[in-house]
Amino acid sequence: MPLTESLPVADISACCTPITREPMDAGGAEILAKSLKALADPARLRLLSLVASHEDSEACVCDLTEPLGLSQPTVSHHLKVLVDAGYLEREKRGTWAYYSLTPNALESVSALIGGL
């Protein structure tokens, strides 16, 4: 896989050893860095928190714009980045998109960083 592409979070643990067990190779570091870059934005971190704490652990994009104080296109962009990185899943229902956390996505990243 070219280094310009990134793997979804769910696939990171398959390519990378926790950094506390052995040195990470350049390819693994590139993949993990791209995944972490998706989290390295205050709006995206808030979106993850809003979705996770929302009723049934899912939220419509329409529920996320006001709490962030951002426009709908900006929120949709941040949600797309999180979906592409594998942190969120998207389900289309009628004209609305609903987002939920990808199972074990955050635990997978945490295990790679902390060596859990």
Side-chain angles (χ1 to χ4, degrees), residues 2-107:
L3 293 181
T4 57
E5 296 180 25
S6 63
L7 290 175
V9 171
D11 293 344
I12 287 177
S13 61
C15 76
C16 306
T17 302
I19 62 175
T20 57
R21 289 199 198 142
E22 64 184 58
M24 185 177 286
D25 65 28
E30 182 77 21
I31 291 167
L32 182 57
K34 286 183 181 195
S35 175
L36 292 174
K37 185 178 178 182
L39 291 178
D41 181 280
R44 292 184 199 135
L45 289 172
R46 289 196 61 213
L47 281 168
L48 283 176
S49 178
L50 286 165
V51 170
S53 64
H54 204 268
E55 186 177 334
D56 297 327
S57 297
E58 70 173 13
C60 174
V61 68
C62 61
D63 298 324
L64 301 171
T65 54
E66 186 178 329
L68 285 178
L70 299 173
S71 68
Q72 185 274 322
T74 300
V75 171
S76 291
H77 165 74
H78 287 304
L79 289 167
K80 182 183 182 325
V81 170
L82 292 169
V83 168
D84 290 347
Y87 292 106
L88 293 178
E89 295 177 348
R90 180 182 185 268
E91 180 183 341
K92 184 88 167 161
R93 297 182 199 158
T95 59
W96 295 106
Y98 287 80
Y99 295 86
S100 60
L101 286 177
T102 300
N104 302 317
L106 297 175
E107 291 83 356

